[in-house]
């Protein structure tokens, strides 16, 4: 990354106590490790979320997967390979119809799950922390939607069944058919023992004639199949996501929808110009959708939860033009903000943090619509930065049916909680059907590529001085924090532990 040298500075809080779970509502069964990030580079956060960490404001946490009641598996979608499902297409068409014709649908999309679940993070000395989950809507049919198309062999058989052969002429009256066949096969009169009778034909000759006739019929059927299978390729290719979205941008539409990307910065004029609108919209959403008390959705909460980000804005020659960091993607309808998607743009992904919207437009399935727009946005960024090709949806929670909808954005991977490699979700869900916690990497010899190998190389910030943990421990003879350091370092991995500064008082 270009620019001044910057560091990630964190305080680690451990995670041995159980807290209330926002999914199963158990009071003491949610376990996670947490740390407060004063500042963080986008590369460090990228590496952390690829080890199962996630941020909520400046608080960064990692569920204790083998201990917590509702294991939360990091999930990412391959944005470049994504094709909208039938349910997604309905949502896109619903929005396009609203924009073009101006009528809101009366009810939400059939089968949509509840909104995302907020969770209380009761870690040591911290106030209530809301869980960073996307409000997405999709079908409660959690099986992958597949459009079944016949193979060429099956299609050829269908065509053969449809195209009549010489022995299957379509008629209702059998007698005329027999007469026509007799007339067609009757040989012409010729010279012979009896001039009024045709000459005899050998059986071999008749068999050859029938064989040639059948080959001609087969050739005709193949020609029909070939003409259909070699039709213009664009008719066989699925309609790309961008085409569905662009349909809502007609000049003569009843409404005008505009999506603006603004950096989360109180020094940015565009962010500040729309700040109060966003504050009011957040409070309205939290009260109507989540039933929050007014003091739980104040401007202070909005700022702490959705504006305070540890990520420092960074720019790179081969990166996206707007740079990396935290952004608000604002949805403006006829000059008013109706939804805001909070996202982080990182070196290899767009990470979705949260979405809030105007309750009056709930029937438009704005959660799913915004997720589809963010996938399209990721594809757009990949043109500028080749490594940026994934869309991170937060956590997938198989044990909570309401949270399985994220698995509908295919193709997608889940993060193995032991080896930290990404595994296709189709290979993971059978294991999760049998147990809440599962190791997805089936190679028994595979391990964590960034496993902690040298605790002494961990960086520590102590009395305004930067030093390895080996030096710090010698300066503080008899210090009793080695177990905590070992836990922290193993969770962030050797690579991060050598870059991130752990604050020690």
């Amino acid at each position: 990354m270009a620019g001044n040298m910057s560091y990630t500075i964190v305080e680690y809080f451990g995670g041995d106590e159980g807290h209330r779970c926002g999914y199963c509502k158990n009071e003491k069964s949610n376990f996670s490790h947490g740390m407060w990030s004063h500042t963080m580079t986008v590369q460090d956060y990228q590496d952390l979320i690829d080890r199962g960490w996630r941020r909520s404001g400046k608080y960064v946490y990692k569920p204790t997967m083998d201990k917590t009641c509702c294991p939360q598996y990091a999930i990412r979608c391959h944005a470049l390979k994504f094709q909208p499902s039938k349910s997604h297409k309905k949502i896109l068409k619903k929005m396009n119809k609203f924009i073009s014709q101006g009528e809101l649908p009366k009810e939400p999309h059939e089968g949509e799950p509840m909104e995302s679940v907020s969770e209380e993070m009761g870690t040591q000395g911290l106030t209530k922390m809301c869980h960073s989950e996307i409000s997405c809507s999709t079908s409660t049919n959690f099986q992958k939607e597949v459009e079944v198309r016949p193979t060429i062999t099956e299609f050829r058989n269908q065509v053969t069944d449809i195209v009549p052969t010489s022995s299957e002429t379509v008629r209702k009256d059998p007698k005329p058919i027999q007469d026509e066949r007799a007339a067609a096969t009757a040989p012409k009169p010729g010279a012979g023992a009896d001039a009024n009778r045709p000459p005899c034909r050998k059986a071999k000759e008749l068999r050859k004639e029938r064989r040639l006739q059948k080959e001609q019929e087969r050739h005709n059927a193949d020609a029909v199949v070939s003409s259909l299978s070699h039709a213009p390729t664009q008719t066989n290719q699925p309609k790309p996501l961008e085409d569905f979205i662009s349909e809502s941008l007609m000049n003569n539409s009843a409404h005008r929808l505009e999506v603006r990307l603004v950096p989360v910065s109180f020094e940015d004029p565009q962010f500040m110009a729309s700040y109060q609108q966003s504050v009011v919209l957040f409070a309205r959403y939290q009260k109507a959708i989540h039933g929050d008390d007014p003091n739980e959705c104040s401007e202070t909460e909005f700022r702490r939860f959705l504006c305070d980000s540890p990520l420092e804005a960074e720019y790179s020659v081969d990166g996206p033009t707007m740079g990396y960091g935290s952004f608000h993607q604002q949805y403006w309808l006829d000059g008013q903000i109706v939804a805001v998607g909070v996202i982080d743009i990182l070196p290899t992904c767009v990470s979705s943090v949260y979405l809030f919207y105007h309750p009056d437009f709930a029937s438009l399935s704005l959660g799913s619509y915004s997720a589809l727009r963010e996938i399209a946005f990721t594809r757009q960024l990949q043109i500028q930065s080749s490594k940026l090709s994934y869309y991170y949806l937060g956590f997938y929670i198989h044990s909570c049916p309401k949270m399985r909808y994220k698995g509908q954005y295919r193709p997608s991977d889940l993060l193995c909680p032991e080896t930290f490699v990404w595994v296709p979700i189709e290979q993971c869900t059978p294991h999760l059907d049998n147990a809440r916690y599962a190791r997805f990497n089936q190679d028994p010899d595979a391990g964590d590529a960034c496993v902690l190998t040298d605790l002494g190389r961990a960086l520590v910030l102590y009395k305004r001085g930067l030093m390895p943990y080996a030096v710090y421990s010698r300066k503080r003879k008899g210090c009793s924090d080695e177990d905590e350091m070992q836990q922290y370092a193993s969770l962030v991995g050797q690579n991060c532990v050598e870059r991130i500064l752990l604050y020690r008082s």
Side-chain angles (χ1 to χ4, degrees):
M1 298 292 173
N4 297 329
M5 185 67 177
S6 56
Y7 289 97
T8 295
I9 303 174
V10 301
E11 290 183 68
Y12 181 65
F13 294 114
D16 298 324
E17 295 182 9
H19 305 284
R20 182 180 182 274
C21 176
Y23 303 102
C24 68
K25 308 304 180 184
N26 192 300
E27 291 297 326
K28 294 289 183 181
S29 62
N30 174 30
F31 291 87
S32 66
H33 302 275
M35 52 190 182
W36 186 264
S37 178
H38 295 274
T39 182
M40 183 171 285
T41 67
V42 292
Q43 186 59 60
D44 284 340
Y45 186 50
Q46 178 72 69
D47 290 347
L48 285 175
I49 63 174
D50 284 334
R51 292 182 66 83
W53 292 83
R54 192 85 182 148
R55 82 171 183 89
S56 175
K58 288 190 172 185
Y59 182 71
V60 187
Y61 61 98
K62 174 178 166 56
T64 311
M65 301 294 283
D66 58 349
K67 190 176 180 181
T68 194
C69 53
C70 300
Q72 301 161 55
Y73 297 90
I75 181 171
R76 72 178 186 183
C77 170
H78 294 252
L80 302 184
K81 300 177 183 177
F82 173 79
Q83 284 294 338
S85 67
K86 235 179 242 187
S87 177
H88 296 147
K89 290 175 185 176
K90 286 181 181 178
I91 290 166
L92 291 165
K93 289 176 181 178
K94 178 169 63 174
M95 174 61 80
N96 294 341
K97 185 178 179 181
F98 166 69
I99 297 297
S100 61
Q101 300 180 14
E103 292 185 14
L104 272 172
K106 294 181 180 179
E107 295 179 358
H109 179 63
E110 184 180 354
E112 288 176 358
M114 291 175 61
E115 293 296 326
S116 62
V117 183
S118 295
E119 180 182 0
E120 292 182 2
M121 304 292 294
T123 320
Q124 301 173 3
L126 294 177
T127 56
K128 188 178 77 170
M129 306 298 293
C130 296
H131 227 303
S132 308
E133 292 295 344
I134 312 171
S135 301
C136 284
S137 303
T138 188
S139 171
T140 51
N141 177 13
F142 300 119
Q143 301 299 320
K144 183 180 179 183
E145 298 179 20
V146 180
E147 293 185 22
V148 181
R149 291 175 180 156
T151 63
I152 287 296
T153 304
E154 293 169 337
F155 192 69
R156 181 180 286 114
N157 292 338
Q158 293 174 11
V159 172
T160 306
D161 291 339
I162 295 169
V163 178
T165 64
S166 62
S167 60
E168 295 177 330
T169 310
V170 182
R171 292 287 182 87
K172 292 184 179 180
D173 187 359
K175 186 173 181 181
I177 293 176
Q178 293 173 359
D179 293 342
E180 286 181 14
R181 284 179 180 169
T185 57
K188 296 179 180 180
D194 185 345
N196 294 323
R197 299 183 63 186
C200 294
R201 305 177 66 193
K202 293 182 179 180
K204 183 177 180 180
E205 186 180 347
L206 292 172
R207 286 198 299 273
K208 182 179 180 181
E209 185 178 320
R210 283 197 294 270
R211 188 172 66 252
L212 290 172
Q213 186 179 11
K214 286 183 179 179
E215 287 178 0
Q216 183 62 39
E217 291 167 359
R218 230 177 355 251
H219 175 74
N220 292 340
D222 287 342
V224 174
V225 173
S226 179
S227 65
L228 290 171
S229 62
H230 288 83
T233 53
Q234 60 266 25
T235 59
N236 293 331
Q237 291 178 350
K239 192 174 179 179
L241 174 63
E242 287 79 3
D243 283 5
F244 284 99
I245 293 173
S246 63
E247 287 177 1
S248 64
L249 305 177
M250 305 291 289
N251 291 329
N252 57 348
S253 298
H255 293 292
R256 182 170 177 266
L257 179 67
E258 181 187 359
V259 181
R260 301 178 190 171
L261 184 75
V262 297
V264 181
S265 169
F266 290 94
E267 297 176 359
D268 183 83
Q270 195 174 8
F271 177 77
M272 291 307 298
S274 56
Y275 177 74
Q276 284 302 326
Q277 270 202 65
S278 296
V279 170
V280 172
L281 181 64
F282 169 74
R284 182 173 289 175
Y285 169 81
Q286 292 296 131
K287 286 186 282 189
I289 304 300
H290 291 297
D292 284 1
D293 293 329
N295 64 326
E296 294 178 312
C297 46
S298 63
E299 180 181 348
T300 302
E301 288 294 298
F302 170 72
R303 183 166 180 158
R304 180 187 59 79
F305 178 35
L306 299 176
C307 298
D308 288 347
S309 169
L311 301 180
E312 297 290 336
E314 297 182 35
Y315 299 88
S316 174
V317 175
D318 58 351
T321 54
M322 71 288 296
Y324 302 98
S326 298
F327 297 82
H328 282 186
Q329 202 161 42
Q330 303 171 338
Y331 294 80
W332 290 76
L333 181 69
D334 302 331
Q336 298 293 321
I337 300 179
V338 295
V340 177
V342 184
I343 61 173
D344 293 330
I345 300 179
L346 304 175
T348 65
C349 75
V350 169
S351 175
S352 187
V353 179
Y354 200 70
L355 175 91
F356 57 96
Y357 57 81
H358 198 299
D360 289 353
F361 298 95
S363 61
L364 288 174
S365 308
L366 290 174
S368 285
Y369 181 75
S370 66
L372 295 168
R373 290 292 299 244
E374 287 168 7
I375 291 174
F377 178 58
T378 305
R379 288 151 71 122
Q380 179 186 339
L381 293 183
Q382 195 274 336
I383 298 172
Q384 304 173 19
S385 180
S386 58
K387 294 189 300 182
L388 210 163
S389 59
Y390 296 102
Y391 175 62
Y392 284 45
L393 296 98
F395 287 130
Y396 172 84
I397 309 171
H398 194 77
S399 57
C400 180
K402 292 191 296 292
M403 301 305 292
R404 292 186 188 178
Y405 64 84
K406 295 182 182 182
Q408 292 293 321
Y409 295 85
R410 306 280 180 104
S412 57
D413 305 319
L414 297 185
L415 187 68
C416 176
E418 295 181 10
T419 62
F420 304 110
V421 297
W422 293 97
V423 180
I425 193 171
E426 295 86 353
Q427 299 176 26
C428 304
T429 50
H431 300 292
L432 296 177
D433 287 336
N434 297 323
R436 292 190 174 197
Y437 173 79
R439 171 191 167 111
F440 301 139
N441 189 335
Q442 295 306 295
D443 180 0
D445 299 324
D448 177 6
C450 294
V451 66
L452 179 67
T453 55
D454 188 353
L455 180 61
R457 293 173 62 88
L459 289 183
V460 171
L461 184 63
Y462 176 61
K463 291 185 176 180
R464 298 185 180 182
L466 172 61
M467 64 195 73
Y469 180 71
V471 175
Y472 165 79
S473 58
R474 285 197 298 269
K475 282 192 173 188
R476 295 197 59 192
K477 293 178 181 179
C479 64
S480 58
D481 64 352
E482 186 171 345
D483 289 343
E484 183 181 286
M485 279 293 302
Q486 187 80 30
Q487 185 183 67
Y488 153 77
S490 62
L491 290 169
V492 302
Q494 186 70 38
N495 288 351
C496 283
V497 86
E498 293 182 26
R499 296 197 310 258
I500 295 176
L501 307 186
L502 180 67
Y503 175 76
R504 299 275 88 182
S505 59

